[in-house]
Amino acid sequence: MRIITGLYKGRHFDIPRSFKARPTTDFAKENIFNVLTQYIDFDSATALDLFSGTGSISLELLSRGCSQVVSVELDRDHHRFIQDCLKKLNEHKCVAVRGDVFRFLKSCRQQFDFIFADPPYALKELPTIPDLIFQKQLLREGGIFVFEHGKDYDFSQHPRFVAHRSYGSVNFSLFAVS
């Protein structure tokens, strides 16, 4: 796993082979972040990374200057890996939460400039996630929500939908509060 740009550009972290998480590919991550520069200035932004997996997106957000990142991951080993990466970077602007994303969303009272969610593609609740984000008003005015999902989903009719990007088998739907 590699950090694409920013303060930690080029840093590599070896993901244990036993991990079930599939980190967003470098190709897809680099391209979606290139698109996002049209929508958001990450410098001093607050961010929420749901279903963090290996923490790849959280680390990228910190490298790009986010003032705070909340990283939510249920798996104990993945959570520990994220914490270890943060320690290696001596990074203190990330709150790594070990817990269920849906429980976290129910209790979260904070708003964010940027939200990224990469749930398991087979998750039965996957289609409900955009509505949960907007019902809880977790995204600030002018914020952007990026939702990674499989090709079988189409969110283009959602009232907050902005754009869709596809990089190989990785699909991103972008949503906004305007």
Side-chain angles (χ1 to χ4, degrees):
M1 176 177 79
R2 176 176 66 96
I3 298 176
I4 305 296
T5 197
L7 181 64
Y8 306 120
K9 178 181 180 178
R11 291 289 300 262
H12 286 265
F13 297 92
D14 294 324
I15 300 168
R17 294 190 192 281
S18 61
F19 273 25
K20 298 169 277 195
R22 45 157 184 72
T24 303
T25 65
D26 284 351
F27 174 75
K29 182 168 63 170
E30 185 168 10
N31 280 289
I32 195 62
F33 272 96
N34 286 340
V35 168
L36 289 171
T37 60
Q38 301 168 35
Y39 294 97
I40 188 166
D41 178 9
F42 289 104
D43 201 34
S44 299
T46 58
L48 174 62
D49 182 11
L50 300 171
F51 306 95
S52 300
T54 62
S56 173
I57 298 299
S58 292
L59 297 175
E60 191 70 38
L61 291 165
L62 291 165
S63 184
R64 290 171 185 257
C66 284
S67 63
Q68 181 197 28
V69 176
V70 177
S71 177
V72 183
E73 173 55 44
L74 179 61
D75 185 275
R76 181 190 69 230
D77 294 333
H78 296 183
H79 178 260
R80 187 176 306 128
F81 179 78
I82 294 167
Q83 288 182 311
D84 289 346
C85 291
L86 293 169
K87 283 180 191 166
K88 288 177 184 172
L89 294 174
N90 195 27
E91 186 57 71
H92 303 285
K93 293 179 288 186
C94 183
V95 177
V97 176
R98 180 171 174 249
D100 177 77
V101 165
F102 296 100
R103 282 190 182 156
F104 176 85
L105 291 175
K106 282 182 184 174
S107 64
C108 183
R109 301 286 179 255
Q110 184 177 353
Q111 285 191 315
F112 299 90
D113 300 302
F114 179 76
I115 300 174
F116 186 92
D118 180 11
Y121 290 0
L123 185 72
K124 68 178 179 168
E125 298 93 349
L126 185 145
T128 68
I129 293 170
D131 285 336
L132 288 172
I133 297 291
F134 293 109
Q135 286 168 2
K136 292 293 291 177
Q137 299 178 350
L138 298 177
L139 195 62
R140 276 197 186 103
E141 186 84 17
I144 191 89
F145 166 43
V146 175
F147 191 39
E148 184 174 335
H149 55 83
K151 63 179 173 23
D152 297 333
Y153 293 96
D154 178 4
F155 294 96
S156 61
Q157 299 306 308
H158 192 281
R160 302 280 188 185
F161 178 82
V162 174
H164 175 263
R165 296 290 190 272
S166 178
Y167 306 106
S169 62
V170 181
N171 288 268
F172 296 102
S173 289
L174 284 67
F175 303 85
V177 176
S178 48

